[in-house]
Every structure is written in structure tokens, then in C-alpha cells.
Amino acid sequence: MVNMEASLDAEALGRLRDFLAGAALGDDGRLPPERELADRLGLTRASLRRALTTLQGEGVLWRHVGKGTFAGNRPIDNASDVASMARRTNPIEIMNARIAIEPEIARVAALNATPAVLAELRQCMARAFNAPDWRQYEHWDNRLHRTIAEATQNSLLVGLLDTLNAVRREVNWGRLRADPKRPPPDHHSFAEHEQIVEAIANRDTAGAAAAMRLHLQSVERHLRNS
């Protein structure tokens, strides 16, 4: 009986992991309500909750009572601090902060990335390339950068990136996407992301940092010209 329960829990956990690997969640990373998610995955509520608890313990998910379950690490708790920082900054400052932090994150990721993380990074790239609109592209773009941070296996670096992203979400970027409705096949980020991920896969620490820096500088140039 114990072995059967363990087998069912392992299956539930596998289904939930597969769902998270392919789900196009909203910008906040919120999962569907438990009842809906259990139906979609063909699980009981009890087995789903045990799987959610396991992934929460791994730092893959976090929960907010009354609001739901979210992918990723819990952001900083004091929302007023995020709002205060957002009021004092602007998109160019945020890009400068990203250029200062994310190349080092990529460098550490090249040291510590696992095969599973590399597979997830490549999936993020594929989904970004095939995104039907800019919103979905930006979701997978953000997830790629977050997964690179997770590849460091350093919770403090992940937390720093989460804080930066929390501020970034609060700032009005003051731009609208022009046509086309989705990124064109030659969008600069596609090749840049590939260079970053390949450097990480090859354990090329200097190359990963340099590729990330060039990518973010390219994003900054497009932001200034938009």
C-alpha cells in the first residue's frame, strides 16, 4: 500500500513538472486554481497538493494565501519597497542594473548548469521563437533569463534577479509594440539567446558572461531607439 501511494505521488509530481515545463503562464507566473489544475492533469486534489508541496520545498513554486500558487521563488515580501524603488528609477537604469548583474549570473550558470536545466533553456528558446505574439515571447524571454539564474544553484543570485524583475514589472516602459504582431524570425534576441545558452552548455564562463552582456546592451540600444 505504501509503495502504491509512493508510485502515485511520483506520477503526480512528474505530471506537474511536465505541466510547468510547457505551460504558458501569465507574467506573474500564477498557476490555474487547484481544482482546474487537478482536472487538467488527471489527478486527485490530495495528490496534486502533495506534488505542489514538494515543488514548493524545492523552490520551484511559492504560495500566497488567498491569491494562489506561483512559479518561481517567492519575491521580496515588502511590496512597498518595490513600489518605492520603482518610483525612483526608470527603464534605462533598470537595463544598467541588468547589465551589471546578469552577465555574472550567466558566468556562474556556466559552472553549475545541469543537463535538465540546459534542456529547459533550449525549450524556452524554442517557445520564444514560435511565440504567436509579443506577450508570449516576453513570457518565454523572462523565463529563459530566470532559468539561467536558477542554473547557478545560488538562491541569493536568484533572489537578486527576482527583486530586479519585481521592480521592472512596476515601471512604466512607455512603449508600444509596433507591427508585426509577433517577433520577426530575425529578431536580434534569438541569435543572442542561442550564444548565451551554448556558452553555458560548453562551460564557457567568460563566453557566457560576454554573450549575456552583449545581449543586454543590444536590448538597451533597442529600448533607447524605440
Side-chain angles (χ1 to χ4, degrees):
M1 182 67 174
V2 173
N3 288 338
M4 182 178 294
E5 289 180 353
S7 176
L8 291 173
D9 283 350
E11 182 178 355
L13 189 59
R15 291 186 189 183
L16 182 56
R17 288 189 194 278
D18 289 344
F19 170 79
L20 292 173
L25 304 175
D27 292 341
D28 60 359
R30 182 160 55 184
L31 276 64
E34 281 188 10
R35 185 182 301 277
E36 177 186 338
L37 186 55
D39 288 343
R40 289 173 65 175
L41 299 182
L43 301 173
T44 65
R45 295 280 292 278
S47 61
L48 173 62
R49 284 172 180 162
R50 288 193 290 271
L52 290 170
T53 298
T54 297
L55 293 189
Q56 183 179 11
E58 295 177 3
V60 176
L61 303 172
W62 64 280
R63 292 171 173 173
H64 190 296
V65 176
K67 292 188 177 180
T69 303
F70 301 81
N73 285 353
R74 181 183 294 274
I76 57 176
D77 290 332
N78 195 338
S80 63
D81 286 349
V82 171
S84 176
M85 285 187 283
R87 286 194 296 271
R88 297 196 304 270
T89 192
N90 58 66
I92 298 302
E93 279 192 356
I94 290 172
M95 286 307 310
N96 289 339
R98 292 185 69 188
I99 291 169
I101 293 172
E102 290 195 58
E104 286 307 300
I105 288 176
R107 182 184 67 80
V108 180
L111 287 172
N112 297 316
T114 64
V117 168
L118 291 171
E120 185 172 353
L121 289 172
R122 292 190 171 107
Q123 182 182 64
C124 288
M125 287 195 300
R127 288 183 176 270
F129 184 81
N130 293 306
D133 53 45
W134 280 105
R135 185 174 182 276
Q136 284 297 311
Y137 162 78
E138 288 170 354
H139 167 78
W140 290 108
D141 174 79
N142 290 337
R143 187 156 172 177
L144 174 76
H145 284 265
R146 180 55 159 68
T147 303
I148 291 171
E150 292 171 2
T152 67
Q153 302 183 45
N154 185 310
S155 60
L156 184 55
L157 288 176
V158 175
L160 288 172
L161 184 65
D162 283 346
T163 300
L164 179 56
N165 284 333
V167 174
R168 185 159 66 103
R169 285 193 294 270
E170 293 290 322
V171 173
N172 180 6
W173 289 77
R175 58 179 178 146
L176 296 174
R177 292 288 188 186
D179 284 336
K181 292 182 179 180
R182 62 184 301 276
D186 61 350
H187 183 56
H188 68 94
S189 287
F190 296 140
E192 293 164 3
H193 285 163
E194 186 172 356
Q195 290 174 346
I196 295 166
V197 172
E198 288 309 305
I200 292 172
N202 291 328
R203 307 295 184 195
D204 181 358
T205 56
M212 179 65 81
R213 183 172 293 106
L214 288 173
H215 168 55
L216 294 175
Q217 288 170 339
S218 178
V219 173
E220 182 187 27
R221 284 195 301 274
H222 282 79
L223 174 63
R224 289 181 181 274
N225 295 330
S226 63

